[in-house]
């Protein structure tokens, strides 16, 4: 058996810019107290077969309730949590997960390999919601060998498979088998997990509260008595609530608020730069976007430096591929279209038809201000743009998933393996190809990156992918993934914000 007990194979190199005093050591953790984090969106639920796509707020809440099989330290090394070992057969077709003995769910029921296997088989059921089944890649089945051993059997070697067990995600949110079978539609709002906290109150449109799981395997890691995720969509209101002490963590501040907080000794800024990027998805299956010249014209017409300055207050880095300079998958000089309005006009003239488009955005400053800039840039080259504002959540997500859109602001997630970023979203036969792109060069690169276990072969494949994306333009790239949280000084030990997530269960606070 091939063990992955050491550093994560193919892990992406990330950069953390800690904006606390250089050399300042964290004091010893204190137990007790409550932490309140305000967010722009609401938690959607906890059942992979009910919720089609999980936003970050949902993922952070799920991490509290369900925990991980493994976590990662600052160096990217794997750290046991609910799991103690994950081993591969020599051919990469079988993976064996060992669970920590004696685990219990928050309701006191034993947490066993049978629950884990049942959970994965439920996701794989072809008669159910397949959005998350698609993320299981080549997984054929999960089988409980005994109470602490699960065997995962793959149809073909899949390099990204072990990454599933390292990140907070729906695929590993295991509930008691009987609860999954009997809760019905309520399952989405009645989570029972084996994580450090359990949900005790859910006030729709207001907040969701978590308290210590009395059956968690590691009570020494449960520093906080209570955690509250509060829905407060207006970023100005979130900043005010932070400065008045009504909340402890301001999640997803605007660029100008980050700049202001950096100069405020009464606040701390946590920043994380990861792979992934904010994007504009293009539905390539509908006119005029079924013509690559129009898609290229859209890109050449945009002055992204102006967007960085005006839309993001100069905070962040422009993206030219999913994988920035800090990533081992980074491919320089992919040929992403530069700002060139004259070339955009020439491409549109060659296309020869009027171009009227609809851009879908959310009514947030981070989308609405750039959208207005885009509208202005495109108007200058002869493209008429309607901005359609839709509230975040299922109303925004579902039209994109079913292909009922033209352009939509979106995001390529920050995850530990590029396969999760490209296969489902851009492989022509994935079932989750939301841009509807069908390109043999992309397909070949994606397949090679998925199936090869050779890191060098994968790097070349994803470089080929990046270059072809810059030609075909099924998406417009905006900013490299740059995540921020602003906290009060009483908040300590916010770990690396991988995927933009604040792992609140690892934090602790000074008493008020």
């Amino acid at each position: 058996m091939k063990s992955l007990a050491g550093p994560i194979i193919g892990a992406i190199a990330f950069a953390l810019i800690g904006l606390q005093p250089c050399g300042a050591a964290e004091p010893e953790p204190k137990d007790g107290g409550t932490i309140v984090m305000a967010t722009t969106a609401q938690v959607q639920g906890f059942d992979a077969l009910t919720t089609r796509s999980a936003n970050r707020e949902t993922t952070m809440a799920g991490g509290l309730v369900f925990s991980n099989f493994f976590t990662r330290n600052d160096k990217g090394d794997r750290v046991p949590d609910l799991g103690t070992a994950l081993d591969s057969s020599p051919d990469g077709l079988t993976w064996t997960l060992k669970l920590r003995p004696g685990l219990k769910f928050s309701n006191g029921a034993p947490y066993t390999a049978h629950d884990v296997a049942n959970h994965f088989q439920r996701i794989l059921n072809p008669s159910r919601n397949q959005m998350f089944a698609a993320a299981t890649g080549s997984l054929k089945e999960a089988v409980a060998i005994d109470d602490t051993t699960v065997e995962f059997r793959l149809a073909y070697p899949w390099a990204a498979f072990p990454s599933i067990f390292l990140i907070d995600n729906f695929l590993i949110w295991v509930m008691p088998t009987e609860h999954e079978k009997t809760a019905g539609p309520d399952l989405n709002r009645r989570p029972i997990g084996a994580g450090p906290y359990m949900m005790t109150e859910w006030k729709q449109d207001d907040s969701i509260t978590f308290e210590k799981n009395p059956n968690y395997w590691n009570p020494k890691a449960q520093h906080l008595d209570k955690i509250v995720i509060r829905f407060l969509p207006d970023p100005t209101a979130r900043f005010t609530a932070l400065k008045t002490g009504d909340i402890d963590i301001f999640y997803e501040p605007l660029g100008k608020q980050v700049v202001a907080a950096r100069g405020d000794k009464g606040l701390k800024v946590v920043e994380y730069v990861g792979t992934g990027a904010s994007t504009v998805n293009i539905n390539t299956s509908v006119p005029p976007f079924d013509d690559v010249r129009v898609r290229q014209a859209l890109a050449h017409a945009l002055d992204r430096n102006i967007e960085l300055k005006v839309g993001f207050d100069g905070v962040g880095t422009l993206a030219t591929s999913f994988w920035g300079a800090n990533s081992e998958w980074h491919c320089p000089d992919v040929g992403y279209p530069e700002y060139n309005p004259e070339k955009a006009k020439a491409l549109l003239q060659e296309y020869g038809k009027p171009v009227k488009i609809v851009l879908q955005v959310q009514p947030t400053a981070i989308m609405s201000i750039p959208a207005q800039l885009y509208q202005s840039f495109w108007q200058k080259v002869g493209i008429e743009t309607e901005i359609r504002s839709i509230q975040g959540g299922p109303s925004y997500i579902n039209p994109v998933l079913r292909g009922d859109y033209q352009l939509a602001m979106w995001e390529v997630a920050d995850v530990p393996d590029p396969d999760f970023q490209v296969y489902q979203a851009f492989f022509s036969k994935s079932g989750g190809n939301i841009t509807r792109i069908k390109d043999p060069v992309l397909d070949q690169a994606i397949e090679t990156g998925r199936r090869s276990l050779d890191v060098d072969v994968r790097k070349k494949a994803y470089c080929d992918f990046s270059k072809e994306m810059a030609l075909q333009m099924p998406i417009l790239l905006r900013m490299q993934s740059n995540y921020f949280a602003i906290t009060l000084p009483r908040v300590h030990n916010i770990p690396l914000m991988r995927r933009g997530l604040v792992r609140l269960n690892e934090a602790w606070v000074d008493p008020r």
Side-chain angles (χ1 to χ4, degrees):
M1 301 285 277
K2 179 183 176 184
S3 176
L4 293 185
I8 300 166
I9 292 178
I12 295 174
F14 293 104
L16 171 69
I17 303 173
L19 298 174
Q20 299 183 29
C22 294
E26 283 279 358
E28 285 297 311
K30 297 182 177 69
D31 291 338
T34 297
I35 202 168
V36 181
M37 181 174 73
T39 66
T40 186
Q42 300 190 63
V43 174
Q44 298 168 300
F46 300 92
D47 177 27
L49 301 186
T50 302
T51 302
R52 296 193 69 192
S53 180
N55 59 15
R56 283 195 288 268
E57 287 78 5
T58 299
T59 305
M60 287 187 286
L64 296 173
V65 174
F66 300 102
S67 196
N68 275 345
F69 290 109
F70 304 92
T71 59
R72 288 178 285 171
N73 61 21
D74 288 357
K75 296 179 180 179
D77 298 334
R78 192 176 67 179
V79 178
D81 193 336
L82 300 181
T84 59
L86 181 64
D87 300 304
S88 169
S89 60
D91 60 7
L93 293 176
T94 304
W95 288 83
T96 302
L97 171 68
K98 293 294 293 184
L99 297 178
R100 187 177 299 278
L103 292 174
K104 291 183 180 181
F105 288 102
S106 60
N107 65 352
Y111 180 107
T112 72
H114 304 281
D115 296 293
V116 176
N118 173 77
H119 172 76
F120 274 89
Q121 289 301 122
R122 180 172 177 267
I123 290 176
L124 288 170
N125 185 339
S127 68
R128 311 296 289 271
N129 181 353
Q130 290 297 288
M131 283 304 297
F132 289 96
T136 60
S138 67
L139 179 63
K140 292 192 303 181
E141 60 179 341
V143 179
I145 305 301
D146 55 39
D147 284 351
T148 60
T149 309
V150 187
E151 191 171 275
F152 295 91
R153 298 164 185 171
L154 278 58
Y156 55 82
W158 178 30
F161 180 72
S163 297
I164 288 175
F165 302 93
L166 295 165
I167 56 177
D168 293 307
N169 68 91
F170 270 80
L171 298 180
I172 60 173
W173 291 358
V174 177
M175 299 195 214
T177 298
E178 190 62 26
H179 185 57
E180 288 193 334
K181 290 180 177 178
T182 61
D186 290 342
L187 185 66
N188 198 45
R189 296 180 65 89
R190 288 175 51 205
I192 297 176
Y197 290 83
M198 56 186 185
M199 188 189 77
T200 55
E201 186 176 33
W202 190 341
K203 297 180 180 178
Q204 188 63 37
D205 301 326
D206 181 77
S207 63
I208 184 166
T209 300
F210 306 87
E211 296 181 19
K212 287 182 180 180
N213 170 8
N215 295 303
Y216 185 54
W217 72 269
N218 186 17
K220 292 182 179 179
Q222 295 171 297
H223 300 302
L224 297 163
D225 292 331
K226 185 182 294 186
I227 296 171
V228 180
I229 299 177
R230 181 179 168 193
F231 173 53
L232 198 59
D234 179 38
T236 301
R238 292 203 298 279
F239 202 20
T240 299
L242 180 72
K243 290 187 287 188
T244 58
D246 290 337
I247 65 172
D248 301 289
I249 302 176
F250 172 9
Y251 182 64
E252 289 191 322
L254 300 177
K256 62 184 178 182
Q257 293 160 337
V258 171
V259 173
R262 284 172 173 168
D264 190 330
K265 294 181 179 179
L267 299 172
K268 296 192 296 187
V269 178
V270 181
E271 179 178 356
Y272 181 75
V273 183
T275 184
S278 54
T279 66
V280 176
N281 283 358
I282 303 174
N283 188 344
T284 64
S285 68
V286 297
F289 310 110
D290 54 351
D291 192 303
V292 68
R293 293 171 295 186
V294 175
R295 304 197 298 267
Q296 291 172 344
L298 291 174
H300 282 300
L302 296 178
D303 188 339
R304 298 195 300 147
N305 285 306
I306 295 295
E307 179 186 9
L308 173 61
K309 181 178 179 180
V310 176
F312 295 88
D313 299 286
V315 176
T317 305
L318 295 177
T320 56
S321 75
F322 299 166
W323 307 295
N326 294 315
S327 168
E328 69 171 278
W329 307 102
H330 177 61
C331 181
D333 304 322
V334 301
Y336 189 82
E338 299 289 340
Y339 175 55
N340 188 337
E342 294 307 314
K343 187 168 185 177
K345 291 177 183 177
L347 286 166
L348 293 170
Q349 185 174 10
E350 186 178 331
Y351 175 66
K353 302 173 187 177
V355 177
K356 296 182 179 181
I357 63 178
V358 178
L359 173 61
Q360 175 180 312
V361 303
Q362 295 180 32
T364 62
I366 203 168
M367 287 194 185
S368 59
I369 294 175
Q372 293 170 29
L373 289 172
Y374 284 22
Q375 184 182 49
S376 173
F377 291 139
W378 287 334
Q379 183 178 17
K380 290 178 181 177
V381 299
I383 298 173
E384 183 179 330
T385 306
E386 174 191 341
I387 298 174
R388 182 172 296 167
S389 185
I390 301 175
Q391 192 65 47
S395 296
Y396 190 91
I397 294 169
N398 290 342
V400 179
L401 296 180
R402 63 175 180 260
D404 186 19
Y405 78 103
Q406 289 191 345
L407 301 172
M409 287 193 174
W410 204 254
E411 180 182 16
V412 174
D414 168 48
V415 290
D417 193 282
D419 179 75
F420 291 114
Q421 294 167 314
V422 305
Y423 185 87
Q424 192 170 351
F426 303 106
F427 186 67
S428 62
K429 299 177 183 178
S430 72
N433 179 7
I434 51 183
T435 66
R436 306 302 195 264
I437 189 69
K438 294 181 179 180
D439 181 77
V441 177
L442 288 177
D443 280 355
Q444 181 60 54
I446 292 169
E447 279 277 47
T448 300
R450 161 163 279 215
R451 291 174 178 262
S452 176
L453 300 180
D454 186 313
V455 172
D456 290 335
V457 171
R458 299 188 77 210
K459 285 182 178 180
K460 182 182 183 304
Y462 290 126
C463 197
D464 293 341
F465 168 86
S466 295
K467 292 176 180 178
E468 184 68 7
M469 287 286 283
L471 289 174
Q472 296 299 324
M473 296 304 300
I475 63 172
L476 303 174
L477 291 170
R478 301 176 64 210
M479 305 296 297
Q480 206 73 52
S481 294
N482 221 61
Y483 304 111
F484 297 93
I486 306 174
T487 79
L488 295 179
R490 70 187 293 263
V491 177
H492 301 275
N493 198 41
I494 298 293
L496 296 181
M497 290 174 60
R498 293 185 174 99
R499 301 180 68 209
L501 305 177
V502 178
R503 289 185 58 80
L504 294 169
N505 57 292
E506 297 187 32
W508 58 274
V509 294
D510 293 321
R512 288 189 183 276

